[in-house]
Amino acid sequence: MSSALFPFSAVVGQDDLRLALLLNAVSPAVGGVLVRGEKGTAKSTAVRALSAVLPEVDVVPGCRFSCAPAAPDPACPDGPHEPGPGTARPARMVELPVGASEDRLVGALDIERALADGVKAFEPGLLAAAHRGILYVDEVNLLHDHLVDSLLDAAAMGSCHIEREGVSVRHAARFLLVGTMNPEEGELRPQLLDRFGLTVEVAASREPQQRVEVVRRRLAYEDDPAAFAARWAGDEAGVRAGVVAARALLPKVRLGDDALLMIAAVCAGFEVDGMRADIVMARTATALAAWAGRTAVLKEDVRQAALLALPHRRRRNPFDAPGLDEALLDRILDGFPDDEPEPDPESDPEPDPGPGDDGPGGGPDGGGVPPQGGGPEAAPEQPADPSAGPEAPEAPDAPASPSPASAPAAEQAPVRAAEPFRTRMFSVPGLGEGAAGRRSRARTAHGRTTGAQRPAGRLTKLHLAATLQAAAPHQRVRGRSGRGLVVRKDDLRQATREGREGNLVLFAVDASGSMAARQRMGAVKGAVLSLLLDAYQRRDKVGLVTFRGAAAELVLPPTSSVDAAAVRLEQLPTGGRTPLAAGLLKAREVLRVERLRDPSRRPLLVVVTDGRATSAGALGGDAREVAARSARLLAADGVASIVVDCEAGPVRLGLAGALAADLGGPAVTLDGLRADALAGLVKDVRTSVATASPHTHRRAA
């Protein structure tokens, strides 16, 4: 099968996505693109196709770090380079797998050769390969924290610096950073989110004719990739010529004081943090003008730049939906005078018009998108609004929340959650080996060194003292004659390190009638929302089980998307009896299945209830006794648990405390959840009844 990529110019629709990618191709200083959207929306297809329309780059022959012949990196590990002609090659697109190791990203020293042969042999990583090209991270929101840290450092400094085992290596690493993600699988850390210059929301078109064209082109490509690519070769060449022309024009584009004032007013009006947004908007507006074939930045360029650069910088917490109020944007820009007429053509050098008669932007007004109407299988022509944001998909029909008038007597409409707060931190006891996070102690690739062991595979973290200690007793047998030690592969020792892991935090929330007082349920939802925010910050997976009436329901299967859990919580109705046992058994079943799927991720069960049990459901028998037996089953499974006591009123029955004793964990009140209630005390939950004591289960005042 041919390895021909799907042509960039053959992508149907997704105008904002293609424009954002091309603006970064014109001006890599814009800072990259984050593409957010549902699966099956051509995110990866468009990104991979971009490399084919980028101009070729000249590199020093034989340099593994892609140095430019005209200005080689003076610190290049393969240097110094002699002056001479370069070799032209296509711009690279390097993919960073989610499960890659840090050595694969930044490069690795061959420890075995260094110790045995005394040779400092450095193997470049993906950052070196991506220099002067594209670094693409699919599912960037699932990238491990230690890779994110290295990626952020390189993106910020434009270089990669490796300090390891006495070897110091630095090389240039300037690349176009492109990430794609499905928000349902979890959000990005704020530090990485802000590092992307532009963001684009993509969704499948709801226009039947456009969907038909998507299917037609995809089938034609899969039938014969090479022939399909050949049919679009002319359009690809046109887009490439447009990029070259816009790059040549870019230094001549004038960013006037009026445009800078508009940019500053927009960023101030939307209360974005820091100054990066202003800088990115300025670079984006300049690139838009160059792509449109103009030498002056207009108001429409500033508007389009705001739509691409600000939505992901408006989020204050993970539960805020990204987006931009276009009405507010227009009100801010309306306070500035309209653009003056373009300068006389004789005073400005005429740029190469690129593809088409109207310049590389495809139209005289700029802010345009790559040409799409000239291909052999073009989609039906549709008007394009260059200032519009991503096309918003029509919302699918969703069950409406029952109104108080139409809801059954035993059920109340959903109650809004109270404002979230900073919670105490609860951790799972023991030492785990799960995914890196910030909750419980675990053996991790990063952290403080606690010991040494024989490496199970490739050596990544050398424990030098343990290695020398293992080699020392054998020097006479090995015939050592010089000053250096004779080190063999069997002597090498891997450093073991202790850090923090993320856990599976499963919420079991009582939504019965006894919890249904509106003010009280709002406080309960606010507490759960606070715990969800804590789980987001500690890199946990979360799940949500609710119980009311006669049964329990898994409202949200375990996921990394805490904002999805927040949405389910906000829509949660209340009412009916309290099937506490059903809720506990449903939680136990969910944890059993997750243990098979991800055995290394340890669970933490958070039961939010007042402790009442008024229904045994299908189990029959006394509701309280059945609930107590169900709790003891979870304790016997070794599940770490917390009970959030929601009991209210002057008379307290202490039922939540009794439930906590059966679960083998602590009980805390809603007020006791607050971090400032106990000066940030960190308390480990207990996992067995045998180690529990009455003092463990006392409720915080």
Side-chain angles (χ1 to χ4, degrees), residues 462-535:
L462 177 72
H463 195 297
L464 184 58
T467 299
L468 298 178
Q469 198 170 26
H474 309 291
Q475 296 306 297
R476 181 174 297 178
V477 176
R478 294 174 183 174
R480 172 187 171 187
S481 57
R483 296 179 59 186
L485 285 176
V486 180
V487 180
R488 294 182 180 173
K489 186 174 183 179
D490 291 342
D491 301 327
L492 300 178
R493 295 294 183 267
Q494 176 86 17
T496 58
R497 302 191 176 189
E498 182 179 313
R500 292 279 172 176
E501 68 176 358
N503 298 112
L504 166 59
V505 181
L506 180 63
F507 293 90
V509 180
D510 185 349
S512 63
S514 65
M515 303 275 290
R518 298 188 69 81
Q519 183 176 359
R520 180 179 172 202
M521 196 60 196
V524 169
K525 286 188 175 182
V528 177
L529 199 64
S530 303
L531 290 167
L532 281 171
L533 183 59
D534 181 69

Side-chain angles (χ1 to χ4, degrees), residues 150-167:
S150 299
L151 192 59
L152 286 176
D153 289 343
M157 298 185 299
S159 63
C160 179
H161 196 179
I162 302 98
E163 291 282 354
R164 185 174 299 171
E165 286 81 37
V167 174

Side-chain angles (χ1 to χ4, degrees), residues 94-120:
V94 178
E95 292 195 42
L96 173 60
V98 170
S101 66
E102 186 180 17
D103 288 344
R104 185 74 185 96
L105 176 65
V106 303
L109 181 71
D110 192 331
I111 300 295
E112 297 173 18
R113 290 188 62 192
L115 287 177
D117 303 331
V119 177
K120 293 182 180 180

